[in-house]
Amino acid sequence: MPEYIYVLGMDGKPQMPTKRRRHVNKLLNTGKARIAEHVPFTIQLLYENNPTLQSVMMAEDPGRTNIGTAVVGLKGQLYLSAVVETRNKEIHKLMDKRLACRRASRNGERKARQSRAKRFGTMLKAGVLMRKLPQYGEDGFITCHVIRYTEARFCNRKRSKDWVTPTVEQLIRTHINLVHKMQKFLPITDVAIEVNRFAFMLLDDPTVAGVDFQKGPLKGYSNVNDAVFD
């Protein structure tokens, strides 16, 4: 058994962990408790009790590939520590696979539309056709290369204001899921996340403040590559 044994009440809510292995074994042998999880080792009481809960803090050290987390008590007791590996390296491969699948799906739909257009005689024999769309005003024209009267299917391609990249989204979900996972077997009352913000210009010049940060070595360049090339 690990150093701490996690305890759930009869209602499934977490209680304070314990080190009393002999007492836990007695509860399991007498049928007053059952094993709820093996990893981490957690028992669930099968009788009503009035637990005394204490403040438990969960601290996280976020990272793109690995997340370090620890759950401590008021007196510094380390109830749990873990390193969580994110899926940051897999997202790029999954997005490439998704792109290939969507491209194949669009090609299949395009061939099906062309087949129907050929059957009903709405194919363009030569050249292109400029089709006017009322929702785009007076200059709203699209180019029809193959099919006459093709449906405009690009009007809904808009991103929401709170849109983030897939890698950032999976990092956010990983942090949220990690907190929810810990709350299942520990009575967490506070969550602390380390935020690292470095002002590298202050390392060279401690008097930098305000708009001075906008007058750094990259001022006048569109990106880092242009500055390095120059």
Side-chain angles (χ1 to χ4, degrees):
M1 291 185 180
E3 182 179 2
Y4 278 97
I5 301 173
Y6 308 104
V7 182
L8 302 179
M10 192 173 181
D11 54 357
K13 295 182 179 180
Q15 300 182 6
M16 297 301 297
T18 181
K19 291 184 178 180
R20 302 169 60 189
R21 293 181 176 83
R22 295 184 61 182
H23 182 65
V24 170
N25 290 330
K26 183 177 180 180
L27 293 177
L28 294 174
N29 294 333
T30 57
K32 293 184 178 180
R34 69 177 186 87
I35 298 177
E37 295 285 346
H38 289 276
V39 181
F41 191 80
T42 309
I43 65 170
Q44 182 178 10
L45 303 179
L46 301 180
Y47 63 91
E48 294 288 347
N49 67 331
N50 296 319
T52 301
L53 302 181
Q54 303 174 7
S55 297
V56 178
M57 174 177 288
M58 176 181 175
E60 290 188 13
D61 183 8
R64 296 190 64 86
T65 305
N66 297 302
I67 299 175
T69 182
V71 182
V72 296
L74 285 175
K75 298 181 180 180
Q77 311 96 313
L78 181 61
Y79 294 136
L80 184 144
S81 62
V83 177
V84 180
E85 184 177 354
T86 65
R87 302 177 61 198
N88 187 59
K89 296 181 180 180
E90 301 178 11
I91 297 298
H92 181 69
K93 298 179 181 179
L94 294 176
M95 294 302 296
D96 290 341
K97 183 178 179 181
R98 177 189 177 190
L99 178 63
C101 293
R102 295 184 66 180
R103 182 181 293 114
S105 177
R106 288 195 300 269
N107 290 337
E109 294 176 359
R110 187 179 298 111
K111 290 180 179 180
R113 292 196 303 270
Q114 292 177 5
S115 178
R116 290 194 299 267
K118 185 177 181 180
R119 185 167 62 252
F120 292 106
T122 57
M123 292 281 292
L124 292 177
K125 297 182 179 180
V128 296
L129 175 67
M130 300 301 294
R131 180 186 173 196
K132 187 177 186 303
L133 298 180
Q135 62 267 33
Y136 288 98
E138 297 180 355
D139 299 331
F141 289 91
I142 62 172
T143 304
C144 301
H145 294 276
V146 181
I147 305 175
R148 192 185 300 269
Y149 310 126
T150 182
E151 180 183 1
R153 307 184 65 180
F154 54 86
C155 301
N156 59 346
R157 297 179 184 178
K158 295 182 180 179
R159 291 176 176 173
S160 59
K161 296 181 179 179
D162 55 349
W163 180 86
V164 293
T165 60
T167 53
V168 175
E169 183 178 358
Q170 70 89 19
L171 282 175
I172 295 174
R173 291 183 178 180
T174 301
H175 282 284
I176 296 175
N177 293 338
L178 180 59
V179 174
H180 290 171
K181 177 69 175 179
M182 297 298 181
Q183 288 177 335
K184 289 183 178 180
F185 51 88
L186 280 170
I188 297 175
T189 56
D190 301 289
V191 178
I193 299 180
E194 180 182 358
V195 179
N196 296 325
R197 296 179 179 177
F198 294 97
F200 293 100
M201 292 183 63
L202 287 175
L203 300 178
D204 300 330
D205 186 4
T207 62
V208 174
V211 296
D212 295 336
F213 286 102
Q214 302 177 8
K215 301 177 182 179
L218 298 181
K219 183 179 180 180
Y221 298 98
S222 59
N223 51 44
V224 179
N225 293 335
D226 292 344
V228 173
F229 181 78
D230 187 45

